[in-house]
Amino acid sequence: MIFLTALPLFWIMISASRGGHWGAWMPSSISAFEGTCVSIPCRFDFPDELRPAVVHGVWYFNSPYPKNYPPVVFKSRTQVVHESFQGRSRLLGDLGLRNCTLLLSNLSPELGGKYYFRGDLGGYNQYTFSEHSVLDIINTPSIVVPPEVVAGTEVEVSCMVPDNCPELHPELSWLGHEGLGEPAVLGRLREDEGTWVQVSLLHFVPTREANGHRLGCQASFPNTSLQFEGYASLNVKYPPVIVEVNSSVEAIEGSHVSLLCGADSNPPPLLTWMRDGAVLQEAVAESLSLELDEVTPAEDGVYACLAENAYGQDNRTVELSVMYAPWKPTVNGTVVAVEGETVSILCSTQSNPDPIITIFKEKQILATVIYESELQLELPAVTPEDDGEYWCVAENQYGQRATAFNLSVEFAPVILLESHCAAARDTVQCLCVVKANPEPTVAFELPSRNVTVNETEREFVYSERSGLLLSSILTLRGQAQAPPRVICTSRNLYGTKSLELPFQGAHRLMWAKIGPVGAVVAFAILIAIVCYITQTRRKKNVTESPSFSAGDTPPVLFSSDFRISGAPEKYESERRLGSERRLLGLRGEPPELDLSYSHSDLGKRPTKDSYTLTEELAEYAEIRVK
């Protein structure tokens, strides 16, 4: 049974292949605005040997096979159509001329779909064409924007609407195009598949500010209330522009610093923080922050933010200034110089802001500079007084640092005036104080005895150095006779200096030379002279004072005048005992001489223990009475 049903179809296909072919042409797709109409152009063909008296045709909706009972859009034989198409469909073409153009009016969304045509030549000569047209019911115009819109480059934007309704033709206008350009309407254009469109063009040069701009197109139909609008947002590509970055930043050492960089671009940029050509941080983002914890002076400098994309790049720099206290100053220059030379000393440091640098010696400012990183000290023709410790001090509002340095001035020996000799009983001590650098050698010469004693002979010479001063003491014992001449000679690699040492208080040495017995004899002679003068004056009836004034006889200094510091009572009693022994003719031993005092004690001569002749006579008289 199935075979018998399929047989007629088979013969139809055979006959068609023998005499020609069945075929149809229509646009694969067509569109129209809701509420308007659309004309679907259509042509068909059949084998020439088929010579039908009348040609009929049927339009189906969404299916080409009658056995599926698809909705009938139009049927030329009976005019019976589906209820959805009643009053909406009619044939514009002449089927006898093989024109199957269909007109649909009062379009609504449910009419959108596939439309198939079936040729009916009578009998078994019926054929449903596989070619079909897809109807799209729209309610917005189509705005066509180029795939890439670049700022600064002219672009063309078009608005296209279908114009396939012979009864209604649209009119186009642009919305939101102010500042972009004036539109140009090209009019009605025929497409490749025989459909028609209305096109309006808009030419303009976009800017970065146009990115995201909403551009609209309006299609209206005269004498109707039909009006349709469509919009498109412009995606303008443009290179980055850095819009946010720190200005110059000042930070205290050890603090936290955040550097921010933000850029505007489309597409988003690659942001990079760099310093001295090294990449510190990067990311594809609209903003990027560089975090610096506990900044140090090493991080002071210029930082660059670079923003780039496929359309260009931009960069900005920001200077980070790390504020910190001065570093410990460094001193470069001469530290050893010969007397008379020029000395140049450079003191330098590093800080932010630049410091105040001062060089001083013993609290005396020698040089200073404000807001500089180094200070040059010039000392022309240095002298021994320039020798010593110096300080270089650098300071700003964040702190202070200092460095000490020593300047050593080398010079020939100088024998100071405080050098002298002094005698006590049968001992002579000579002090020679020499100022020199480097340390000199000291020798004592006794020309009258053709003897030279140097400092290596510890039995006779004691030396002590303090700073630039060298004090040497020569001790000669058993010098009961007249003290010898003593010459102090000092030398170093810069020269030699000699000085004959003077004896201090030479008029007092008389008593030290004659000893205690001689002193008693001398006193007896003086007493005899006094008595003689007294008797002579009485004979002449001249009233005279029986005593001497303090200024008649110079003071006499005994060996006991060399007192040991710190024990005045002991030596006071010994001095008085010695005086009494001398007046009574008794032989007494002088106190021992203390040689342990330093050179600073030399030259300090006691005066309170000196006895005048009048005082000793008074003591002698008092003893006699007792």
Side-chain angles (χ1 to χ4, degrees):
M1 187 68 182
I2 297 176
F3 174 77
L4 294 177
T5 305
L7 185 60
L9 295 177
F10 174 77
W11 283 110
I12 292 175
M13 296 176 62
I14 294 298
S15 62
S17 62
R18 289 177 181 176
H21 64 276
W22 293 88
W25 175 92
M26 64 186 69
S28 60
S29 64
I30 192 169
S31 59
F33 283 105
E34 182 180 358
T36 63
C37 66
V38 62
S39 172
I40 302 176
C42 175
R43 295 194 305 274
F44 68 99
D45 200 1
F46 51 85
D48 294 338
E49 62 271 17
L50 298 178
R51 299 179 183 273
V54 178
V55 177
H56 292 278
V58 180
W59 279 95
Y60 292 115
F61 181 67
N62 278 339
S63 178
Y65 304 111
K67 64 179 180 178
N68 293 333
Y69 301 102
V72 176
V73 177
F74 173 82
K75 190 174 184 178
S76 61
R77 283 185 180 273
T78 63
Q79 303 294 321
V80 175
V81 299
H82 190 271
E83 60 182 357
S84 299
F85 296 96
Q86 288 182 0
R88 293 184 173 184
S89 62
R90 64 189 176 96
L91 192 66
L92 293 182
D94 186 350
L95 296 178
L97 299 178
R98 305 182 185 185
N99 188 335
C100 53
T101 301
L102 177 68
L103 177 66
L104 298 175
S105 302
N106 193 19
L107 297 175
S108 59
E110 67 271 12
L111 299 186
K114 298 177 181 180
Y115 288 81
Y116 295 88
F117 178 72
R118 178 181 176 83
D120 182 5
L121 305 183
Y124 295 104
N125 295 322
Q126 298 182 17
Y127 188 85
T128 300
F129 300 96
S130 61
E131 294 83 358
H132 62 277
S133 184
V134 178
L135 174 61
D136 185 19
I137 308 299
I138 64 174
N139 53 22
T140 57
S142 174
I143 299 178
V144 180
V145 180
E148 185 176 77
V149 178
V150 181
T153 302
E154 185 180 43
V155 296
E156 177 185 274
V157 179
S158 61
C159 176
M160 302 179 64
V161 296
D163 190 9
N164 297 306
C165 179
E167 301 171 357
L168 296 173
H169 296 285
E171 293 182 354
L172 301 180
S173 59
W174 287 93
L175 305 174
H177 70 286
E178 295 81 3
L180 296 179
E182 293 299 324
V185 178
L186 294 182
R188 192 167 184 258
L189 299 179
R190 188 175 186 273
E191 296 181 303
D192 293 339
E193 293 187 333
T195 57
W196 295 85
V197 292
Q198 282 278 1
V199 180
S200 178
L201 302 179
L202 184 65
H203 293 87
F204 60 95
V205 177
T207 62
R208 65 176 58 245
E209 291 77 18
N211 183 45
H213 181 77
R214 198 162 180 258
L215 186 64
C217 178
Q218 184 183 77
S220 59
F221 294 86
N223 303 319
T224 69
S225 60
L226 298 176
Q227 196 174 72
F228 304 92
E229 294 179 357
Y231 292 90
S233 294
L234 298 179
N235 185 17
V236 181
K237 310 293 185 181
Y238 54 90
V241 173
I242 295 179
V243 295
E244 183 181 13
V245 69
N246 300 79
S247 58
S248 296
V249 177
E250 290 186 357
I252 300 176
E253 182 180 10
S255 63
H256 176 82
V257 174
S258 178
L259 302 180
L260 179 64
C261 179
D264 174 37
S265 72
N266 187 25
L270 172 64
L271 292 177
T272 306
W273 275 108
M274 305 179 67
R275 180 170 182 257
D276 297 334
V279 175
L280 304 178
Q281 189 175 352
E282 64 180 0
V284 176
E286 294 182 353
S287 64
L288 182 63
S289 179
L290 178 63
E291 305 295 334
L292 301 175
D293 295 324
E294 298 182 357
V295 293
T296 65
E299 294 173 292
D300 186 288
V302 177
Y303 291 76
C305 175
L306 175 65
E308 57 184 337
N309 65 10
Y311 301 95
Q313 65 177 20
D314 191 17
N315 66 82
R316 291 288 186 275
T317 60
V318 55
E319 183 175 359
L320 173 60
S321 182
V322 179
M323 318 301 284
Y324 58 97
W327 291 359
K328 185 176 179 63
T330 58
V331 177
N332 298 320
T334 305
V335 293
V336 178
V338 180
E339 182 179 12
E341 290 183 346
T342 297
V343 172
S344 178
I345 298 174
L346 177 66
C347 177
S348 61
T349 186
Q350 182 175 331
S351 70
N352 193 15
D354 286 331
I356 299 174
I357 303 178
T358 305
I359 297 179
F360 64 88
K361 178 188 179 187
E362 297 176 354
K363 299 183 180 181
Q364 179 183 358
I365 296 177
L366 302 181
T368 187
V369 67
I370 298 176
Y371 305 139
E372 296 289 343
S373 60
E374 59 182 33
L375 173 60
Q376 188 89 17
L377 175 65
E378 296 285 345
L379 297 175
V382 293
T383 65
E385 285 70 25
D386 295 320
D387 189 286
E389 185 181 57
Y390 292 73
W391 283 89
C392 177
V393 179
E395 60 181 332
N396 62 13
Q397 61 265 43
Y398 299 102
Q400 181 188 83
R401 296 296 297 273
T403 296
F405 62 95
N406 289 296
L407 173 62
S408 179
V409 180
E410 297 185 343
F411 55 93
V414 176
I415 300 178
L416 303 185
L417 296 179
E418 61 189 83
S419 303
H420 66 279
C421 290
R425 292 185 178 272
D426 60 347
T427 301
V428 173
Q429 282 192 330
C430 295
L431 171 66
C432 185
V433 183
V434 182
K435 187 176 184 179
N437 190 21
E439 183 176 350
T441 61
V442 176
F444 294 93
E445 300 180 17
L446 285 70
S448 60
R449 302 182 186 181
N450 195 24
V451 175
T452 298
V453 181
N454 59 40
E455 56 189 345
T456 61
E457 302 181 58
R458 302 297 183 183
E459 182 179 356
F460 303 99
V461 178
Y462 171 77
S463 296
E464 180 179 321
R465 183 174 177 85
S466 176
L468 299 179
L469 296 180
L470 176 66
S471 299
S472 295
I473 301 174
L474 172 67
T475 302
L476 301 175
R477 293 180 176 83
Q479 302 297 320
Q481 305 299 324
R485 290 175 57 214
V486 179
I487 298 175
C488 177
T489 301
S490 179
R491 63 171 52 87
N492 64 10
L493 59 89
Y494 295 107
T496 302
K497 184 69 174 180
S498 297
L499 176 68
E500 182 175 349
L501 302 179
F503 276 86
Q504 289 188 355
H507 59 286
R508 302 180 181 180
L509 297 176
M510 175 182 66
W511 302 107
K513 294 177 181 179
I514 63 179
V517 177
V520 173
V521 174
F523 278 122
I525 294 173
L526 288 176
I527 291 172
I529 293 174
V530 171
C531 292
Y532 174 78
I533 293 174
T534 302
Q535 292 176 1
T536 302
R537 287 182 177 179
R538 287 177 179 176
K539 291 179 181 181
K540 293 182 180 181
N541 295 324
V542 179
T543 305
E544 296 289 344
S545 175
S547 62
F548 292 91
S549 65
D552 292 336
T553 304
V556 179
L557 179 64
F558 294 94
S559 60
S560 61
D561 291 336
F562 288 90
R563 300 169 56 195
I564 298 177
S565 176
E569 297 80 2
K570 175 182 176 182
Y571 285 97
E572 182 68 19
S573 60
E574 291 180 357
R575 183 191 61 77
R576 292 184 180 275
L577 179 59
S579 299
E580 293 176 0
R581 288 180 176 178
R582 288 195 297 273
L583 291 174
L584 294 175
L586 301 176
R587 182 179 299 273
E589 294 298 330
E592 291 294 327
L593 182 64
D594 186 3
L595 301 179
S596 63
Y597 53 84
S598 65
H599 70 276
S600 60
D601 295 323
L602 297 175
K604 297 180 181 179
R605 305 187 57 81
T607 57
K608 293 183 181 180
D609 296 337
S610 302
Y611 274 51
T612 63
L613 178 61
T614 305
E615 291 170 338
E616 295 202 6
L617 289 175
E619 284 190 8
Y620 175 74
E622 184 178 353
I623 294 172
R624 291 292 299 273
V625 172
K626 291 181 180 180

